[in-house]
Amino acid sequence: MKKYNFNAGPSMLPHEVVENTAKQLLDFNGSGLSLMEISHRAKDFQPVVDECVALFKDLLSIPDGYSVIFLGGGASLQFMQIPANFLIKKAAYVNSGVWAKKAMKEAKLFGEVVEVASSAASNYTFYPKNFESDVPSDVDYLHICSNNTIYGTEYRKDFDVKVPLIADMSSDIMSRPVDVSKYNAIYAGAQKNIAMAGVTVIILKDEALGKAPRELPTMIDYRTHVEKGSMFNTPPVVPVYSMLENLRWLKKHGGVEAADKRAHERAEALYAEIDRNKLFKGTVEEASRSVMNICFVMNEGYEALEKPFLDFATERGMVGIKGHRSVGGFRASCYNAQTMEGVNALIQTMRDFEAQH
Ligand SMILES: *Cc1c(COP(=O)(O)O)cnc(C)c1O
């Protein structure tokens, strides 16, 4: 049976990305060695890193004066590495979800943290807005999480504030054009939208580095990795290669503008069905709805059908639609690799289930 993958992360990748990466695992560039077996210093691997950086800069129109690095440790390590490098005295954070809150907790180890807006009191059912004028002008940066993977809320624009932005874009990077010039840093664990798990991408404004008033361990100082082109120590070779294949795929399919358009088409179709179908309802305020992670629960009066719907959908080949435990219900993750065919299969499943009840 055909599977439709709605996993929140690690998540679906285009089939040709998986296939091409698998081929290189058997024989890397005709070398007779597996991609797993080559040295990261091999002459064939440097071009992989170089092309990834070039594609990143090209696809996101990253201006001069920025570096792109690939590290291990996940987005979670960035929660501390960001303040270690950028927090001089005081930083502002938007508490828009669990990941944002975790980032805030780590930042407090390095300086004063101002929570400028929060949706915690309503279990993060909306994306905080209209707080821009409350951001103190003397903070070193404003940290945001652009897409709240667990709750399905998103802010798909670049905030207008007078201080530099820093963003966790783990679950929506490369899904829309971004005005990188507003940011001191953008980071993303790759396993949601850009590669297999194991690599984290960080975009850094070069002139903002080296200002923090503390001694940094070598591996924590971004300059180490910028200066060595992500080759200070062994980068995650296979995940970086899978990212190269995925960025090539994205380029071939119209880049981030086309990805943005496809994401909106998928999300509009699925939200329309959630709103139409008597059995289901959305979980977040309409204006905050994410086009990446689409969350819904059983409507009032139909709560007992949650498990039966999950079983019904599973039988139809739907994978990974169970919602995060802090929201319950269902979550259909629709990152770049998701197809309209997958979304239509889920919509049909919802309709067929409704017809039985
Ligand atoms: C998944 C996720 C993280 C955590 O990523 P790891 O790579 O597992 O550390 C952080 N932020 C957001 C927005 C996420 O979706």
Side-chain angles (χ1 to χ4, degrees):
M1 183 183 40
K2 187 169 166 105
K3 300 280 179 158
Y4 297 101
N5 185 352
F6 293 94
N7 277 326
S11 43
M12 183 179 179
L13 288 167
H15 182 72
E16 69 179 72
V17 170
V18 177
E19 196 169 32
N20 290 344
T21 305
K23 279 184 193 149
Q24 302 291 342
L25 282 180
L26 294 174
D27 182 4
F28 180 61
N29 282 354
S31 64
L33 302 177
S34 165
L35 179 58
M36 288 187 265
E37 300 171 323
I38 58 159
S39 163
H40 61 292
R41 314 237 177 240
K43 71 173 184 349
D44 281 9
F45 190 67
Q46 186 64 47
V48 171
V49 174
D50 294 344
E51 192 181 341
C52 275
V53 171
L55 278 167
F56 239 90
K57 290 187 169 176
D58 174 26
L59 286 161
L60 281 181
S61 305
I62 298 177
D64 289 343
Y66 283 80
S67 299
V68 181
I69 58 171
F70 309 120
L71 305 181
S76 299
L77 182 63
Q78 295 310 306
F79 296 161
M80 74 77 106
Q81 198 166 0
I82 288 286
N85 282 268
F86 289 110
L87 208 171
I88 300 169
K89 265 192 85 172
K90 188 158 90 171
Y93 276 69
V94 177
N95 183 3
S96 61
V98 156
W99 296 119
K101 196 173 160 194
K102 287 184 174 169
M104 210 158 60
K105 174 171 179 258
E106 300 300 301
K108 286 176 184 160
L109 297 171
F110 297 92
E112 189 184 341
V113 169
V114 186
E115 183 185 270
V116 287
S118 172
S119 49
S122 75
N123 196 29
Y124 301 117
T125 49
F126 64 93
Y127 200 108
K129 280 188 199 71
N130 302 322
F131 58 82
E132 289 90 327
S133 56
D134 302 332
V135 177
S137 57
D138 62 343
V139 295
D140 303 312
Y141 59 83
L142 170 69
H143 181 280
I144 53 153
C145 176
S146 51
N147 182 67
N148 298 289
T149 322
I150 292 173
Y151 303 92
T153 64
E154 184 176 22
Y155 191 74
R156 261 180 108 72
K157 279 180 277 195
D158 307 301
F159 280 100
D160 254 323
V161 284
K162 294 193 169 59
V163 300
L165 294 169
I166 292 185
D168 176 359
M169 293 196 185
S170 292
S171 52
D172 63 354
I173 194 160
M174 287 291 174
S175 76
R176 67 166 176 100
V178 170
D179 181 358
V180 176
S181 70
K182 288 184 168 182
Y183 296 81
N184 270 357
I186 295 170
Y187 61 95
Q191 70 274 19
K192 311 279 166 50
N193 209 16
I194 42 180
M196 62 180 277
V199 59
T200 310
V201 178
I202 307 112
I203 302 169
L204 295 160
K205 186 171 191 171
D206 297 323
E207 67 172 35
L209 297 175
K211 306 249 162 82
R214 62 183 67 87
E215 286 244 38
L216 294 173
T218 311
M219 280 292 286
I220 296 301
D221 192 333
Y222 287 128
R223 290 174 299 179
T224 303
H225 306 287
V226 168
E227 278 159 23
K228 298 286 183 193
S230 302
M231 291 287 198
F232 172 74
N233 70 323
T234 319
V237 171
V238 178
V240 169
Y241 185 83
S242 73
M243 180 162 62
L244 172 61
E245 287 288 349
N246 197 36
L247 295 176
R248 283 176 178 164
W249 174 89
L250 181 59
K251 172 96 182 151
K252 203 166 76 185
H253 288 84
V256 291
E257 281 85 7
D260 188 26
K261 188 162 166 283
R262 288 192 297 268
H264 279 281
E265 284 165 4
R266 290 188 298 263
E268 274 161 32
L270 192 45
Y271 282 121
E273 177 59 18
I274 291 166
D275 292 340
R276 185 209 62 77
N277 193 311
K278 70 174 191 286
L279 301 183
F280 303 102
K281 63 170 184 180
T283 56
V284 302
E285 167 205 279
E286 215 167 309
S288 299
R289 284 175 162 181
S290 167
V291 302
M292 300 275 100
N293 307 98
I294 296 166
C295 296
F296 55 103
V297 292
M298 302 312 300
N299 218 339
E300 280 103 40
Y302 296 101
E303 291 88 348
L305 291 177
E306 181 168 316
K307 175 79 169 54
F309 177 69
L310 186 62
D311 294 342
F312 184 80
T314 304
E315 276 164 29
R316 301 280 194 104
M318 308 300 137
V319 175
I321 62 163
K322 194 168 161 46
H324 190 274
R325 63 187 177 281
S326 50
V327 178
F330 307 97
R331 170 175 57 175
S333 294
C334 298
Y335 304 122
N336 283 355
Q338 190 54 267
T339 61
M340 203 62 210
E341 184 199 345
V343 167
N344 283 331
L346 178 56
I347 289 172
Q348 194 56 49
T349 300
M350 293 162 78
R351 289 184 181 159
D352 292 347
F353 192 68
E354 182 189 32
Q356 294 184 359
H357 297 275

